[in-house]
Amino acid sequence: MNILILGSGGREHAFAYKLSQSKKINQLFVAPGNAGTNAIATNISLNPTDFKAVKKVVLEKEIKMVVVGPEAPLVEGVHDFFLADEDLKKIPVIGPKKDGALLEGSKDFSKQFMQKHHIPTAQYKSFTKETLQEGFSFLETLQAPYVLKADGLAAGKGVLILESLEEAKKELAEMLTNQKFGEASSTVVIEEFLDGIELSVFVLTDGKNYKILPSAKDYKRIGEGDKGLNTGGMGAISPVPFADEAYIKKVEERIVKPTVEGLQKDGIDYRGFIFIGLMNVNGEPFVIEYNVRMGDPETEAVLPRITSDLVDLFEGVANQNLSEKEFEVTDKIATTVMLVSGGYPEAYEKGKKISGFETIESSIVFHAGTKNENEEVVTNGGRVMAITSLGNTIEEALETSYKNIDKITFEKMNYRKDIGFDLIAE
Ligand code: AMP
Ligand code: GLY
């Protein structure tokens, strides 16, 4: 069958890599894709939120399934668009409709959902411009640090963690009355601070059945030792050592089952990935956030560990028979290190020639911000390439990644040399 992947990052290259291994694939398209996807599939230049352009490609290329990488097309309703269109309604979309995408699109909605279905999460209240004073009073009942979250999508920047009450009040006013994050902060969620270690668990669901994919931990800060500005993610490890079978069972019983059942009870027919961001507080999992897609760079560590056919699993999602599908994961550990442009996550330059990656065999090179230009591959974004290796231990896998990274060069290349530092046994 012909499949179209929407998106252009390392996550989408990882999807293309895994889907292209399936015997069920005839032609694979990625829109808009990058230089990496172009080497194993056919790139099509379009904006994934331009649904009319997506429709044209789907009909022209006889696409039989669409896999949505990023959240924006889902939150804007690409799945609903397909269902409402006579020519497209039978073509499965992997990713929820608008109603399910609200789990990521609105923090207020996702907190209400968790509360209603008794899913462990931080205590919270939501406020608007009209209830600013109540917001101040609520802050006074909490202890530092204070967590403020813009309700809507704010490109990963809408969460503030503040040390003093004074600062928290000032920021709350900025968000609500001065729209610090635009429309996204017209409602603000204030929540209790959870002190622990973060990890992510990924679920693939057909709306009734689910598979729990491998856990992963990502490294969001630009600097070593988790210092400096937040990025999209500088690396990932899968699985997370402390998330053993007993821990995942806890996550399944307390979080995954009530989430999938809650969606069903609320009449939300959810077909796709649920990315559950967790905080492990003294061995107990709490949900920090839901995303309605896979993570980037977590996907680059998680998918290479899945040994089953991903097309087959996606067919299970589309046909609601996911429980009948085979699902196997290797015991090997995967580590991913992201190579970024100098200056990222602030201003950086593009168009730098990348060399040395073509001959790498013992790691998988996933392209993120790259493109083809005059027979060369050049940088085209902040996050440029994700280098994934498998090994028997985190150390072994990382050693392979770092050894291969030494072969890659582009002007002002930067990366973290301490991915996994907090997970490696003393
Ligand atoms: P979110 O966009 O909800 O994932 O939040 C961004 C980051 O803020 C998370 O990855 C956590 O590191 C942190 N964070 C969010 N909520 C809390 C909380 N309640 N307690 C502690 N840290 C939090
Ligand atoms: N790596 C975090 C995310 O994809 O949201």
Side-chain angles (χ1 to χ4, degrees), residues 34-36 339-341 349-360 365-387 404-405 407-414:
N34 57 37
L339 308 182
V340 304
S341 301
E349 291 168 30
K350 294 184 186 175
K352 308 294 179 196
K353 181 186 171 188
I354 312 167
S355 52
F357 65 89
E358 306 89 337
T359 52
I360 290 172
V365 175
F366 292 121
H367 292 229
T370 71
K371 68 171 182 181
N372 297 101
E373 197 173 84
N374 308 325
E375 316 277 305
E376 288 179 343
V377 173
V378 301
T379 65
N380 192 38
R383 293 194 293 169
V384 175
M385 275 180 177
I387 313 303
N404 284 323
I405 287 169
K407 300 176 188 157
I408 305 176
T409 50
F410 59 87
E411 202 183 308
K412 296 194 184 149
M413 178 174 109
N414 184 29

Side-chain angles (χ1 to χ4, degrees), residues 107 149 159 161 191-194 198 220 288-289:
K107 303 260 187 213
K149 299 186 173 185
V159 177
I161 300 188
E191 67 179 39
E192 167 200 18
F193 180 81
L194 297 173
E198 282 184 71
K220 289 203 176 95
I288 293 220
E289 64 165 350

